[in-house]
Every structure is written in C-alpha cells, then in structure tokens.
Amino acid sequence: MSTTFLGMPTPLPAQPPQDPLRWGPTFPDAAHETLANGQMRANLAKATHTIRDKRLRVTGELPDWEELREAGAAAKHEAMSRLPELLVELEANVVAHGGVVHWARDAAEANRIVTALIRATGADEVIKVKSMATQEIGLNEHLDAEGITALETDLAELIVQLVGDMPSHVLVPAIHRNRSEIREIFRHRMEEFPAGLTDEPRELAMAARAHLRRKFLSAKVAVSGANLAVAETGTVAVFESEGNGRMCLTLPETLITVMGIEKVVPTFRDLEVFTQILPRSSTGERMNPYTTMWTGVTPGDGPQEFHLVLLDNGRTKALADEVGREALHCIRCSACMNVCPVYERTGGHAYGSVYPGPIGAILTPLLRGTGTGPGPLDPHDPTASLPFASSLCGACYEACPVKIDIPKVLVHLRNRMNEAQSRRPVPTGWEVAMRAAGTVLSSGARLAPADRAARLAKVFARDGRIGALPPPLRGWTDSRDVPAPPARSFREWWADTHDADGRPTDDADGRPTGRDGGA
C-alpha cells in the first residue's frame, strides 16, 4: 500500500485488484497502517468536516427534512419489495423508446457485454461519467486488457486514475489527497502539463478541463452509471456537479449505462424526493448543478444508440437477507462516511473495497455473501472483518437521507459472521472467552463468585482506573482503561440494605429509609 503522500505518490495497490469488492488485507491490519499516516488523516478530517458542515446548513433550511427522509425510505422500501416487476417494467419502457436492455448476473458478464458493445462501434477509446457500478466490476481494467482506453472525466476520478490509485470515498474518490499532492500528480502524469501550474483549486480544475475537452469533442462512445431509473417511464437520471457528465451523456453517438438493479424507483414522481435529499446529503448543495435525464433515444438529439446494462453482482443475495436488504436502499450520497469517526481516522483504503465507510461495511459483505456459503468462513477474507469496523455510535443512521439503519445491519452481520465462525471444528480464543462469559452471566449463582474474584484486579488499579492487565487480558487494556472494581457489589449492598421481601431497611450508613428508597 502507498505510504508516500508528499511528492509523487506511488500507486495503491501496485496492481489493480482482480476483485474491487475484495482487495488488500483485513480491516484491522489495513487500519493499523493507515492510522500511522498523519497527512492522510489531516486531509480526511478537513474534507469530511467541510462537507458535513455544508450538509447540516442546507438540511437545516428545510422544515420538512425528516418527512423527506421518510418519503425517500418509503420509496426505496417499495422498490425493493417489488424489484422483479419494476425491472421488467423498466426494460419494457426503455425498449419502447429505442433503447436496448442487457442483463448481467455478475461482473464478468457485465464486462463482456460492455466490451462487445464498444467493439461493435469500432472505437478503441471511451469517456466515462463517474460510476460506482463500473468501479465495482473493474470495468476500466478489463477494457484496458482488451485494448480499449477508458478515460475518467470526473475530476476526482481522473486524479485517482492518473496515479493508479484506488478510490477512498464514494462521492470524492481522491479525498485522501490534498491539493499539493494533486499538483504533483498532474505534473508527473498529465499530458501537456501547464507551465507554472500552482496548487490553487481553480488552476487545477482548469488544467483538467483543458486535458479533457479534446476527448469530449472526439469521443464516439461514453459509459456512465445511473443515480436512478424510473420504471414507469424508462427514464434514467444522472446527478453531477462538474458538467463532465452532461458532456458525456449528450455528445457521443453511443451511450452505455451500467446500473445496479437496486437503483430503480417506481414512478417519476419519486424523483421529486430524491432531487431534494441527494444533493443536500452528498455535496451540501440545495440542488446539484447538472441533472441529466433521458428516456431511450431521441432522433437527432443526443446519443443515437443507448444500452442499459442491469447489474446484479450479488444484489439478489443481499435482497434475500431480510435485515441486510436495507443496504440496497443506499443512494450513494456518502453522508454516512462524512460523519463516521472510524472512517475519518482510517480512510477508505482500509476497507479493501470500492465501497468504504459505514455503508461499505454492510454492503460489501452482503454483495459477496460473506458468511452464508456452504463452506467455512475464511477468517482472512477482508469482508469478514468489515461489520466490526464501527463504534456503533449511530451517527450514520442519523445522517442517512433514506434512513438506512446501518448499526442494526452491522449487528446482524456481526452475528452472522460469528455463527459462521462457530461452525469451525476448533474455536478461537475469543470464541472460548465469549462462551465462558455467556455461561457466567446467565446465572446469578455463577456471577456472584466471579464478581468477588474480579476484585482481585484492584491490585493493578491506580487512581480508580486499571491501565494494564496481565495476559491474556492485556489485549483489552492496551487500548482502553478499565474502572477499578468497587469494594462492594450491588448484590452485597442490596442484601445489606433490604429485607428478605426486598423492602429497604437501613441505607449503607445505617440511616432508616422510606419504602421508596429515598433518604
């Protein structure tokens, strides 16, 4: 992994991952390295705090913000409840308006479909709109292996592509880079690097604009994702802030859109809700500068060939999970990442997936079906540790514009992972300890002597806190203090101050108390 953030950064990872949903070490190992990178943490803190503050201002302007969240959640719930019929309806309406619909079961099939469509046009270069779905399937890398160049036109995606990096944020893929680093990336990797280019944001944006303009005007094929698609009309929508999407979606002769099947909504009226909650939750804008909607093909206007690739790639696995399917409600706004204390400190690369942060901690395992297969759970599978990459503080749920209860799903997946691990013939030390704790805590007769034994730990206490315990408990106190055990347990206090019927007698100081326990 890259540890150089000043000067010319090295690629991360050295080679593109074969599976963008599963790369790198487990979260604890990756986080141990990223936590040591002070520059990255500073970059993340500044960026997430800025976006978070903007979001709070613009959502606070709406007196019906909570009602909008409820409406968004209801629309997504309906869509997931009726997903098969809505997808069939979407296909019928896209075809009726001159488009072509393709169904892809997994990443390999989606990549084959897109490659064949590009080859049919005779093009060897395509321009791309920012798309999480195409990142998820590793489309750029696949096209490159097939001799087709895919050029990212979103500024942050372009930065990531130029340096051979991996995205670390759903909305701002290069959030882990500061502007000085970006200037160095442009200086080393961009064609026709402008002389005297500084690290001022406007100058960097203008340099990227000049770099891309020729491609916009000459490209014959564009590839996009989709924020939403309307089953009722066959309309596909992309929301973006830079204008590069509008260029890609209107100028080329052929447009290929790769869309996760969960992005469908029932009616056109549903867009009324999402056009309000998505920009506010993602970029902190009242409305996104560019909202592009198209319905099939319009003769003489825009692309004259439109293909919609509907991607499953594990989504039906997630849909089959009655609790976990809530992750499919995600509209990729990234609000959960911007408030997550774990993400802010570890960065997106620690999650080992194109979907980082709280939503990635549940979406990635669900898409991969981690812990549900017939075989044993691989403890080294990076996705197996993701549900534990959270403090369960609940900030992600409060920020989510469609009210995904991420903490509930995290706990659900943790339980599923633990159950999968418990099927192994040899339990781990952690499993043995938890089973022992369950045995003790389930019985008062066993808890009382255990409580008395725990008081022996007082010999390690200093100023009412225990900062270090001997092995095997040292792993717990390495990162936290433990309150020193009290001189008398609650059970002992109760026995001393209440009679056999549970009525208060004297308090601890010998003073009589009333029946309500008050002094």
Side-chain angles (χ1 to χ4, degrees), residues 425-450:
V426 180
T428 65
W430 178 260
E431 290 166 4
V432 172
M434 289 298 100
R435 290 174 189 172
T439 300
V440 172
L441 295 173
S442 63
S443 167
R446 290 188 287 266
L447 180 60

PDB file of all heavy atoms in Angstrom, residues 425-450:
ATOM      1  N   PRO A 425     -14.286 -26.445  13.361  1.00  0.00           N
ATOM      2  CA  PRO A 425     -14.030 -27.525  14.332  1.00  0.00           C
ATOM      3  C   PRO A 425     -13.235 -27.070  15.547  1.00  0.00           C
ATOM      4  O   PRO A 425     -13.419 -27.600  16.636  1.00  0.00           O
ATOM      5  CB  PRO A 425     -13.247 -28.559  13.502  1.00  0.00           C
ATOM      6  CG  PRO A 425     -12.670 -27.797  12.351  1.00  0.00           C
ATOM      7  CD  PRO A 425     -13.676 -26.724  12.045  1.00  0.00           C
ATOM      8  N   VAL A 426     -12.337 -26.097  15.382  1.00  0.00           N
ATOM      9  CA  VAL A 426     -11.519 -25.626  16.503  1.00  0.00           C
ATOM     10  C   VAL A 426     -11.864 -24.165  16.781  1.00  0.00           C
ATOM     11  O   VAL A 426     -11.593 -23.289  15.957  1.00  0.00           O
ATOM     12  CB  VAL A 426     -10.014 -25.756  16.187  1.00  0.00           C
ATOM     13  CG1 VAL A 426      -9.193 -25.256  17.373  1.00  0.00           C
ATOM     14  CG2 VAL A 426      -9.658 -27.197  15.856  1.00  0.00           C
ATOM     15  N   PRO A 427     -12.499 -23.861  17.917  1.00  0.00           N
ATOM     16  CA  PRO A 427     -12.879 -22.468  18.205  1.00  0.00           C
ATOM     17  C   PRO A 427     -11.665 -21.608  18.508  1.00  0.00           C
ATOM     18  O   PRO A 427     -10.624 -22.098  18.961  1.00  0.00           O
ATOM     19  CB  PRO A 427     -13.780 -22.604  19.442  1.00  0.00           C
ATOM     20  CG  PRO A 427     -13.311 -23.865  20.110  1.00  0.00           C
ATOM     21  CD  PRO A 427     -12.887 -24.787  18.995  1.00  0.00           C
ATOM     22  N   THR A 428     -11.801 -20.314  18.269  1.00  0.00           N
ATOM     23  CA  THR A 428     -10.729 -19.377  18.581  1.00  0.00           C
ATOM     24  C   THR A 428     -10.760 -19.031  20.067  1.00  0.00           C
ATOM     25  O   THR A 428     -11.736 -19.314  20.773  1.00  0.00           O
ATOM     26  CB  THR A 428     -10.879 -18.090  17.767  1.00  0.00           C
ATOM     27  OG1 THR A 428     -12.101 -17.425  18.168  1.00  0.00           O
ATOM     28  CG2 THR A 428     -10.937 -18.391  16.276  1.00  0.00           C
ATOM     29  N   GLY A 429      -9.690 -18.394  20.547  1.00  0.00           N
ATOM     30  CA  GLY A 429      -9.646 -17.972  21.940  1.00  0.00           C
ATOM     31  C   GLY A 429     -10.759 -17.000  22.278  1.00  0.00           C
ATOM     32  O   GLY A 429     -11.332 -17.038  23.371  1.00  0.00           O
ATOM     33  N   TRP A 430     -11.076 -16.111  21.325  1.00  0.00           N
ATOM     34  CA  TRP A 430     -12.160 -15.152  21.534  1.00  0.00           C
ATOM     35  C   TRP A 430     -13.494 -15.878  21.712  1.00  0.00           C
ATOM     36  O   TRP A 430     -14.293 -15.526  22.579  1.00  0.00           O
ATOM     37  CB  TRP A 430     -12.222 -14.188  20.360  1.00  0.00           C
ATOM     38  CG  TRP A 430     -13.332 -13.187  20.449  1.00  0.00           C
ATOM     39  CD1 TRP A 430     -14.532 -13.231  19.818  1.00  0.00           C
ATOM     40  CD2 TRP A 430     -13.350 -11.992  21.246  1.00  0.00           C
ATOM     41  NE1 TRP A 430     -15.295 -12.138  20.157  1.00  0.00           N
ATOM     42  CE2 TRP A 430     -14.596 -11.366  21.029  1.00  0.00           C
ATOM     43  CE3 TRP A 430     -12.431 -11.398  22.112  1.00  0.00           C
ATOM     44  CZ2 TRP A 430     -14.941 -10.177  21.638  1.00  0.00           C
ATOM     45  CZ3 TRP A 430     -12.791 -10.212  22.728  1.00  0.00           C
ATOM     46  CH2 TRP A 430     -14.024  -9.613  22.492  1.00  0.00           C
ATOM     47  N   GLU A 431     -13.734 -16.895  20.872  1.00  0.00           N
ATOM     48  CA  GLU A 431     -14.987 -17.651  20.977  1.00  0.00           C
ATOM     49  C   GLU A 431     -15.081 -18.369  22.309  1.00  0.00           C
ATOM     50  O   GLU A 431     -16.141 -18.396  22.948  1.00  0.00           O
ATOM     51  CB  GLU A 431     -15.065 -18.650  19.821  1.00  0.00           C
ATOM     52  CG  GLU A 431     -15.266 -18.006  18.462  1.00  0.00           C
ATOM     53  CD  GLU A 431     -14.994 -18.967  17.321  1.00  0.00           C
ATOM     54  OE1 GLU A 431     -14.721 -20.148  17.578  1.00  0.00           O
ATOM     55  OE2 GLU A 431     -15.050 -18.519  16.166  1.00  0.00           O
ATOM     56  N   VAL A 432     -13.971 -18.954  22.769  1.00  0.00           N
ATOM     57  CA  VAL A 432     -13.967 -19.635  24.069  1.00  0.00           C
ATOM     58  C   VAL A 432     -14.278 -18.643  25.181  1.00  0.00           C
ATOM     59  O   VAL A 432     -15.079 -18.921  26.096  1.00  0.00           O
ATOM     60  CB  VAL A 432     -12.602 -20.311  24.312  1.00  0.00           C
ATOM     61  CG1 VAL A 432     -12.522 -20.842  25.739  1.00  0.00           C
ATOM     62  CG2 VAL A 432     -12.391 -21.445  23.315  1.00  0.00           C
ATOM     63  N   ALA A 433     -13.668 -17.459  25.123  1.00  0.00           N
ATOM     64  CA  ALA A 433     -13.894 -16.442  26.155  1.00  0.00           C
ATOM     65  C   ALA A 433     -15.346 -15.983  26.162  1.00  0.00           C
ATOM     66  O   ALA A 433     -15.952 -15.818  27.232  1.00  0.00           O
ATOM     67  CB  ALA A 433     -12.962 -15.257  25.920  1.00  0.00           C
ATOM     68  N   MET A 434     -15.937 -15.769  24.983  1.00  0.00           N
ATOM     69  CA  MET A 434     -17.316 -15.311  24.925  1.00  0.00           C
ATOM     70  C   MET A 434     -18.295 -16.377  25.430  1.00  0.00           C
ATOM     71  O   MET A 434     -19.291 -16.074  26.087  1.00  0.00           O
ATOM     72  CB  MET A 434     -17.667 -14.903  23.497  1.00  0.00           C
ATOM     73  CG  MET A 434     -16.983 -13.613  23.022  1.00  0.00           C
ATOM     74  SD  MET A 434     -17.434 -12.143  24.003  1.00  0.00           S
ATOM     75  CE  MET A 434     -15.998 -12.016  25.081  1.00  0.00           C
ATOM     76  N   ARG A 435     -18.011 -17.631  25.108  1.00  0.00           N
ATOM     77  CA  ARG A 435     -18.883 -18.698  25.613  1.00  0.00           C
ATOM     78  C   ARG A 435     -18.793 -18.798  27.132  1.00  0.00           C
ATOM     79  O   ARG A 435     -19.806 -19.000  27.822  1.00  0.00           O
ATOM     80  CB  ARG A 435     -18.480 -20.026  24.968  1.00  0.00           C
ATOM     81  CG  ARG A 435     -18.806 -20.128  23.480  1.00  0.00           C
ATOM     82  CD  ARG A 435     -18.251 -21.398  22.875  1.00  0.00           C
ATOM     83  NE  ARG A 435     -18.386 -21.400  21.425  1.00  0.00           N
ATOM     84  CZ  ARG A 435     -17.854 -22.319  20.629  1.00  0.00           C
ATOM     85  NH1 ARG A 435     -17.146 -23.316  21.145  1.00  0.00           N
ATOM     86  NH2 ARG A 435     -18.017 -22.241  19.317  1.00  0.00           N
ATOM     87  N   ALA A 436     -17.577 -18.632  27.654  1.00  0.00           N
ATOM     88  CA  ALA A 436     -17.413 -18.664  29.108  1.00  0.00           C
ATOM     89  C   ALA A 436     -18.150 -17.501  29.762  1.00  0.00           C
ATOM     90  O   ALA A 436     -18.814 -17.671  30.799  1.00  0.00           O
ATOM     91  CB  ALA A 436     -15.923 -18.618  29.459  1.00  0.00           C
ATOM     92  N   ALA A 437     -18.052 -16.311  29.143  1.00  0.00           N
ATOM     93  CA  ALA A 437     -18.760 -15.147  29.682  1.00  0.00           C
ATOM     94  C   ALA A 437     -20.263 -15.378  29.661  1.00  0.00           C
ATOM     95  O   ALA A 437     -20.979 -15.026  30.608  1.00  0.00           O
ATOM     96  CB  ALA A 437     -18.407 -13.903  28.874  1.00  0.00           C
ATOM     97  N   GLY A 438     -20.768 -15.981  28.578  1.00  0.00           N
ATOM     98  CA  GLY A 438     -22.194 -16.267  28.499  1.00  0.00           C
ATOM     99  C   GLY A 438     -22.641 -17.218  29.587  1.00  0.00           C
ATOM    100  O   GLY A 438     -23.729 -17.069  30.159  1.00  0.00           O
ATOM    101  N   THR A 439     -21.816 -18.210  29.885  1.00  0.00           N
ATOM    102  CA  THR A 439     -22.153 -19.172  30.941  1.00  0.00           C
ATOM    103  C   THR A 439     -22.214 -18.488  32.302  1.00  0.00           C
ATOM    104  O   THR A 439     -23.142 -18.711  33.095  1.00  0.00           O
ATOM    105  CB  THR A 439     -21.105 -20.310  30.972  1.00  0.00           C
ATOM    106  OG1 THR A 439     -21.094 -20.970  29.710  1.00  0.00           O
ATOM    107  CG2 THR A 439     -21.422 -21.310  32.061  1.00  0.00           C
ATOM    108  N   VAL A 440     -21.257 -17.617  32.581  1.00  0.00           N
ATOM    109  CA  VAL A 440     -21.226 -16.927  33.875  1.00  0.00           C
ATOM    110  C   VAL A 440     -22.366 -15.934  34.000  1.00  0.00           C
ATOM    111  O   VAL A 440     -23.077 -15.891  35.025  1.00  0.00           O
ATOM    112  CB  VAL A 440     -19.870 -16.207  34.054  1.00  0.00           C
ATOM    113  CG1 VAL A 440     -19.894 -15.315  35.295  1.00  0.00           C
ATOM    114  CG2 VAL A 440     -18.742 -17.210  34.150  1.00  0.00           C
ATOM    115  N   LEU A 441     -22.593 -15.129  32.962  1.00  0.00           N
ATOM    116  CA  LEU A 441     -23.585 -14.060  33.042  1.00  0.00           C
ATOM    117  C   LEU A 441     -25.020 -14.570  33.024  1.00  0.00           C
ATOM    118  O   LEU A 441     -25.946 -13.835  33.377  1.00  0.00           O
ATOM    119  CB  LEU A 441     -23.382 -13.078  31.888  1.00  0.00           C
ATOM    120  CG  LEU A 441     -22.060 -12.298  31.913  1.00  0.00           C
ATOM    121  CD1 LEU A 441     -21.902 -11.490  30.636  1.00  0.00           C
ATOM    122  CD2 LEU A 441     -21.998 -11.389  33.137  1.00  0.00           C
ATOM    123  N   SER A 442     -25.220 -15.801  32.627  1.00  0.00           N
ATOM    124  CA  SER A 442     -26.586 -16.335  32.564  1.00  0.00           C
ATOM    125  C   SER A 442     -27.066 -16.915  33.880  1.00  0.00           C
ATOM    126  O   SER A 442     -28.211 -17.360  33.986  1.00  0.00           O
ATOM    127  CB  SER A 442     -26.657 -17.423  31.473  1.00  0.00           C
ATOM    128  OG  SER A 442     -25.809 -18.530  31.807  1.00  0.00           O
ATOM    129  N   SER A 443     -26.231 -16.896  34.914  1.00  0.00           N
ATOM    130  CA  SER A 443     -26.617 -17.487  36.196  1.00  0.00           C
ATOM    131  C   SER A 443     -26.137 -16.616  37.346  1.00  0.00           C
ATOM    132  O   SER A 443     -24.940 -16.305  37.447  1.00  0.00           O
ATOM    133  CB  SER A 443     -26.013 -18.896  36.332  1.00  0.00           C
ATOM    134  OG  SER A 443     -26.103 -19.373  37.657  1.00  0.00           O
ATOM    135  N   GLY A 444     -27.060 -16.221  38.238  1.00  0.00           N
ATOM    136  CA  GLY A 444     -26.684 -15.437  39.403  1.00  0.00           C
ATOM    137  C   GLY A 444     -25.759 -16.198  40.323  1.00  0.00           C
ATOM    138  O   GLY A 444     -24.847 -15.623  40.939  1.00  0.00           O
ATOM    139  N   ALA A 445     -25.975 -17.505  40.440  1.00  0.00           N
ATOM    140  CA  ALA A 445     -25.135 -18.314  41.317  1.00  0.00           C
ATOM    141  C   ALA A 445     -23.694 -18.349  40.823  1.00  0.00           C
ATOM    142  O   ALA A 445     -22.757 -18.434  41.623  1.00  0.00           O
ATOM    143  CB  ALA A 445     -25.693 -19.738  41.400  1.00  0.00           C
ATOM    144  N   ARG A 446     -23.500 -18.293  39.502  1.00  0.00           N
ATOM    145  CA  ARG A 446     -22.140 -18.280  38.968  1.00  0.00           C
ATOM    146  C   ARG A 446     -21.560 -16.861  38.934  1.00  0.00           C
ATOM    147  O   ARG A 446     -20.355 -16.662  39.036  1.00  0.00           O
ATOM    148  CB  ARG A 446     -22.124 -18.880  37.558  1.00  0.00           C
ATOM    149  CG  ARG A 446     -22.368 -20.381  37.534  1.00  0.00           C
ATOM    150  CD  ARG A 446     -22.142 -20.952  36.144  1.00  0.00           C
ATOM    151  NE  ARG A 446     -23.201 -20.598  35.221  1.00  0.00           N
ATOM    152  CZ  ARG A 446     -24.269 -21.354  34.968  1.00  0.00           C
ATOM    153  NH1 ARG A 446     -24.424 -22.508  35.614  1.00  0.00           N
ATOM    154  NH2 ARG A 446     -25.175 -20.972  34.102  1.00  0.00           N
ATOM    155  N   LEU A 447     -22.429 -15.855  38.777  1.00  0.00           N
ATOM    156  CA  LEU A 447     -21.954 -14.485  38.670  1.00  0.00           C
ATOM    157  C   LEU A 447     -21.390 -13.968  39.990  1.00  0.00           C
ATOM    158  O   LEU A 447     -20.399 -13.231  40.003  1.00  0.00           O
ATOM    159  CB  LEU A 447     -23.090 -13.573  38.198  1.00  0.00           C
ATOM    160  CG  LEU A 447     -22.740 -12.086  38.041  1.00  0.00           C
ATOM    161  CD1 LEU A 447     -21.614 -11.903  37.025  1.00  0.00           C
ATOM    162  CD2 LEU A 447     -23.969 -11.287  37.617  1.00  0.00           C
ATOM    163  N   ALA A 448     -22.002 -14.344  41.114  1.00  0.00           N
ATOM    164  CA  ALA A 448     -21.571 -13.815  42.416  1.00  0.00           C
ATOM    165  C   ALA A 448     -20.115 -14.161  42.730  1.00  0.00           C
ATOM    166  O   ALA A 448     -19.316 -13.272  43.061  1.00  0.00           O
ATOM    167  CB  ALA A 448     -22.506 -14.318  43.527  1.00  0.00           C
ATOM    168  N   PRO A 449     -19.710 -15.427  42.654  1.00  0.00           N
ATOM    169  CA  PRO A 449     -18.281 -15.710  42.928  1.00  0.00           C
ATOM    170  C   PRO A 449     -17.351 -15.105  41.877  1.00  0.00           C
ATOM    171  O   PRO A 449     -16.211 -14.727  42.199  1.00  0.00           O
ATOM    172  CB  PRO A 449     -18.212 -17.241  42.903  1.00  0.00           C
ATOM    173  CG  PRO A 449     -19.436 -17.689  42.174  1.00  0.00           C
ATOM    174  CD  PRO A 449     -20.486 -16.672  42.456  1.00  0.00           C
ATOM    175  N   ALA A 450     -17.808 -15.009  40.629  1.00  0.00           N
ATOM    176  CA  ALA A 450     -16.982 -14.382  39.607  1.00  0.00           C
ATOM    177  C   ALA A 450     -16.763 -12.908  39.922  1.00  0.00           C
ATOM    178  O   ALA A 450     -15.674 -12.362  39.705  1.00  0.00           O
ATOM    179  CB  ALA A 450     -17.636 -14.535  38.229  1.00  0.00           C
TER     180      ALA A 450
END
